[in-house]
Coordinates of all heavy atoms in Angstrom, one line a residue:
A34 N -37.9 -122.8 -0.2 CA -36.7 -123.6 -0.1 C -37.1 -124.9 0.7 O -36.7 -126.0 0.3 CB -35.6 -122.9 0.5
L35 N -37.8 -124.7 1.8 CA -38.1 -125.9 2.6 C -39.1 -126.8 1.9 O -39.0 -128.1 1.9 CB -38.8 -125.4 3.9 CG -37.8 -124.8 4.9 CD1 -38.6 -124.2 6.1 CD2 -36.8 -125.7 5.4
T37 N -39.3 -127.2 -1.4 CA -38.5 -127.9 -2.4 C -37.7 -129.0 -1.8 O -37.7 -130.1 -2.3 CB -37.6 -126.9 -3.1 OG1 -38.3 -125.8 -3.7 CG2 -36.7 -127.6 -4.2
A38 N -37.1 -128.7 -0.7 CA -36.3 -129.7 0.1 C -37.2 -130.9 0.5 O -36.9 -132.0 0.3 CB -35.6 -129.1 1.2
A39 N -38.5 -130.6 1.0 CA -39.3 -131.6 1.4 C -39.8 -132.5 0.2 O -39.8 -133.7 0.3 CB -40.5 -131.0 2.2
T41 N -38.2 -132.9 -2.6 CA -37.0 -133.6 -3.1 C -36.8 -134.8 -2.1 O -36.5 -135.9 -2.6 CB -35.8 -132.7 -3.1 OG1 -36.0 -131.6 -3.9 CG2 -34.6 -133.5 -3.6
F42 N -36.9 -134.6 -0.9 CA -36.7 -135.7 0.1 C -37.7 -136.8 -0.1 O -37.4 -138.0 -0.2 CB -36.8 -135.2 1.5 CG -36.9 -136.3 2.5 CD1 -35.8 -137.0 2.9 CD2 -38.1 -136.5 3.2 CE1 -35.9 -138.0 3.9 CE2 -38.3 -137.5 4.1 CZ -37.1 -138.2 4.5
A45 N -37.1 -138.5 -3.6 CA -35.9 -139.3 -3.6 C -36.0 -140.5 -2.7 O -35.6 -141.6 -3.1 CB -34.7 -138.4 -3.2
E173 N -31.1 -145.3 3.6 CA -31.4 -144.1 4.5 C -30.2 -143.2 4.5 O -30.4 -142.0 4.5 CB -31.6 -144.6 5.9 CG -33.0 -145.3 6.1 CD -34.1 -144.3 5.9 OE1 -34.0 -143.1 6.1 OE2 -35.2 -144.8 5.5
A174 N -29.0 -143.7 4.4 CA -27.8 -142.8 4.3 C -27.8 -142.0 3.0 O -27.5 -140.8 3.0 CB -26.5 -143.6 4.4
N175 N -28.2 -142.6 1.9 CA -28.3 -141.9 0.7 C -29.4 -140.8 0.8 O -29.2 -139.6 0.3 CB -28.6 -142.8 -0.4 CG -27.5 -143.8 -0.7 OD1 -26.3 -143.4 -0.4 ND2 -27.9 -144.9 -1.3
V176 N -30.5 -141.1 1.3 CA -31.6 -140.1 1.5 C -31.1 -139.0 2.4 O -31.4 -137.8 2.1 CB -32.9 -140.8 2.1 CG1 -33.9 -139.7 2.4 CG2 -33.4 -141.8 1.1
Q177 N -30.5 -139.3 3.5 CA -30.0 -138.2 4.4 C -29.0 -137.4 3.7 O -29.0 -136.1 4.0 CB -29.4 -138.9 5.7 CG -29.0 -137.9 6.7 CD -30.2 -137.2 7.3 OE1 -31.3 -137.7 7.3 NE2 -30.0 -135.9 7.6
A178 N -28.2 -137.9 2.9 CA -27.2 -137.0 2.1 C -28.0 -136.1 1.2 O -27.6 -134.9 1.1 CB -26.3 -137.9 1.3
L179 N -29.1 -136.5 0.6 CA -29.9 -135.6 -0.3 C -30.5 -134.5 0.6 O -30.5 -133.3 0.2 CB -30.9 -136.4 -1.0 CG -30.5 -137.3 -2.1 CD1 -31.7 -138.2 -2.6 CD2 -29.9 -136.5 -3.3
V180 N -31.0 -134.8 1.7 CA -31.6 -133.8 2.6 C -30.5 -132.8 3.1 O -30.8 -131.6 3.0 CB -32.3 -134.5 3.8 CG1 -32.7 -133.5 4.9 CG2 -33.4 -135.4 3.4
E181 N -29.4 -133.2 3.4 CA -28.3 -132.3 3.9 C -28.0 -131.4 2.7 O -27.7 -130.2 2.9 CB -27.2 -133.0 4.4 CG -27.5 -133.8 5.7 CD -26.3 -134.7 6.2 OE1 -25.3 -134.7 5.4 OE2 -26.4 -135.3 7.2
A182 N -27.9 -132.0 1.5 CA -27.6 -131.1 0.4 C -28.7 -130.0 0.1 O -28.3 -128.9 -0.2 CB -27.4 -132.0 -0.9
A183 N -29.9 -130.4 0.3 CA -31.0 -129.5 0.1 C -30.9 -128.4 1.1 O -31.2 -127.2 0.9 CB -32.4 -130.2 0.1
Q184 N -30.6 -128.7 2.4 CA -30.5 -127.8 3.5 C -29.4 -126.8 3.3 O -29.5 -125.6 3.5 CB -30.3 -128.5 4.8 CG -31.6 -129.3 5.3 CD -31.3 -130.1 6.5 OE1 -30.2 -130.3 6.9 NE2 -32.4 -130.5 7.2
R185 N -28.2 -127.3 2.8 CA -27.1 -126.5 2.5 C -27.4 -125.5 1.4 O -27.0 -124.3 1.4 CB -25.9 -127.3 2.1 CG -25.3 -128.0 3.3 CD -23.9 -128.5 3.0 NE -23.9 -129.5 1.9 CZ -24.1 -130.8 2.0 NH1 -24.2 -131.3 3.3 NH2 -24.1 -131.6 1.0
G186 N -28.2 -125.9 0.4 CA -28.6 -125.0 -0.6 C -29.7 -124.0 -0.3 O -29.8 -122.9 -0.8
A187 N -30.6 -124.4 0.8 CA -31.6 -123.5 1.2 C -31.2 -122.3 1.9 O -31.7 -121.1 1.8 CB -32.6 -124.3 2.0
L188 N -30.2 -122.5 2.8 CA -29.7 -121.3 3.6 C -29.1 -120.2 2.8 O -29.5 -119.0 3.0 CB -28.6 -121.8 4.6 CG -29.2 -122.8 5.6 CD1 -28.0 -123.3 6.5 CD2 -30.2 -122.1 6.5
P189 N -28.3 -120.4 1.8 CA -27.9 -119.2 1.0 C -29.0 -118.6 0.2 O -29.0 -117.4 0.0 CB -26.8 -119.9 0.0 CG -26.4 -121.1 0.7 CD -27.6 -121.6 1.4
A190 N -30.0 -119.4 -0.3 CA -31.1 -118.9 -1.0 C -31.9 -117.8 -0.1 O -32.3 -116.8 -0.5 CB -32.0 -120.0 -1.5

Side-chain angles (χ1 to χ4, degrees):
L35 290 175
T37 302
T41 302
F42 167 76
E173 287 293 332
N175 293 335
V176 172
Q177 187 62 33
L179 287 174
V180 173
E181 293 175 357
Q184 290 175 344
R185 288 194 298 269
L188 293 177

